[in-house]
């Protein structure tokens, strides 16, 4: 199983509802399925539900989330906010374990602060922290850094996608939900 990090644009109204009723987090994790159910004319929304998001905006950093954090902060499990937002900050959505612990939410004002910081970063800035030996010593997930010529490019590509996501979320006054999930690995020959 791989560990993937997901970002989902979430309105401040829905963030407050998630904080009051954490089990609603499944509506975010399985948004595509819930949105499909809403199109059914016979669908009755539960009493405690999230409002449809004004903008369906989602991004995944795949298994490169920890590498991206390392490139932004130069540290494995630490760093200063707002840059360390992939592993720290925000508010936990109760104690609902959605794969690797509870999701975290960031309100729109926090997303704007994060966006201001990460949009200033360039590929050259991140590349300065790319040290394969140190990343292996610090056990940066996934352990692919040694001899993998594509690892840095993949991190930079996902970072660029994250910048794009954050820009659009901030531009539309949206907060976000951040969560880790298990993703099945593909097996050869299947």
């Amino acid at each position: 199983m791989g560990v993937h990090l997901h970002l989902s644009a979430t309105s401040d109204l829905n963030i407050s509802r998630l904080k009051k009723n954490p089990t609603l987090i499944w509506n975010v994790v399985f948004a595509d399925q819930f949105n499909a159910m809403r199109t059914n004319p016979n669908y009755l929304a539960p009493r405690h539900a999230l409002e449809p998001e004004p903008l369906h905006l989602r991004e995944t950093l795949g298994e490169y989330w920890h590498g991206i954090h390392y490139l932004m902060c130069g540290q494995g499990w630490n760093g200063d906010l707002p840059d360390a937002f992939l592993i720290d900050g925000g508010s936990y959505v109760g104690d609902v374990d959605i794969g690797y612990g509870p999701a975290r939410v960031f309100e729109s004002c926090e997303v704007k602060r994060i966006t201001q910081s990460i949009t200033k970063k360039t590929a050259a800035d991140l590349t300065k922290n790319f040290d394969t030996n140190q990343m292996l010593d610090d056990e940066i997930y996934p352990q692919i850094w040694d001899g993998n010529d594509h690892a840095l490019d993949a991190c930079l590509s996902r970072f660029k996608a994250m910048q794009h996501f954050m820009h659009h979320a901030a531009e539309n006054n949206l907060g976000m939900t951040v969560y880790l999930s298990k993703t099945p690995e593909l097996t050869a020959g299947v």
Side-chain angles (χ1 to χ4, degrees):
M1 294 291 220
V3 181
H4 289 221
L5 186 135
H6 305 274
L7 308 170
S8 180
T10 310
S11 68
D12 286 343
L13 172 64
N14 281 339
I15 288 173
S16 70
R17 289 183 178 182
L18 285 167
K19 288 178 180 179
K20 290 177 187 165
N21 191 349
T23 58
L24 290 174
I25 192 62
W26 297 110
N27 293 22
V28 176
V29 173
F30 296 111
D32 292 337
Q33 291 86 340
F34 279 98
N35 289 337
M37 288 173 24
R38 283 188 176 121
T39 62
N40 182 333
N42 297 321
Y43 174 73
L44 296 173
R47 188 168 60 96
H48 299 288
L50 298 179
E51 292 295 318
E53 292 296 345
L55 182 67
H56 185 72
L57 184 60
R58 300 172 72 82
E59 189 59 65
T60 182
L61 302 184
E63 292 182 303
Y64 296 101
W65 58 273
H66 199 196
I68 294 167
H69 165 79
Y70 187 88
L71 296 179
M72 288 194 303
C73 299
Q75 302 176 55
W77 292 104
N78 298 309
D80 296 325
L81 293 172
D83 290 347
F85 80 97
L86 293 176
I87 63 166
D88 196 13
S91 301
Y92 285 105
V93 180
D95 61 359
V96 179
D97 186 346
I98 56 172
Y100 286 95
R104 293 176 294 124
V105 289
F106 294 83
E107 294 181 356
S108 60
C109 61
E110 295 171 293
V111 167
K112 287 177 182 172
R113 196 166 39 255
I114 295 165
T115 302
Q116 288 174 348
S117 179
I118 70 166
T119 54
K120 295 176 187 173
K121 295 190 182 303
T122 65
D125 295 330
L126 273 62
T127 302
K128 290 176 188 174
N129 286 329
F130 189 73
D131 178 341
T132 57
N133 290 328
Q134 190 61 51
M135 292 172 82
L136 288 167
D137 289 347
D138 290 348
E139 298 181 358
I140 303 303
Y141 181 83
Q143 294 282 309
I144 59 165
W145 313 110
D146 192 24
N148 186 340
D149 296 336
H150 302 291
L152 175 60
D153 290 339
C155 283
L156 295 176
S157 173
R158 299 310 323 140
F159 176 78
K160 193 74 165 165
M162 180 180 73
Q163 282 180 314
H164 183 78
F165 167 89
M166 297 297 293
H167 172 77
H168 285 292
E171 182 178 71
N172 287 282
N173 296 313
L174 293 170
M176 74 173 161
T177 303
V178 177
Y179 62 96
L180 293 169
S181 71
K182 299 174 185 176
T183 304
E185 294 179 18
L186 298 175
T187 55
V190 177

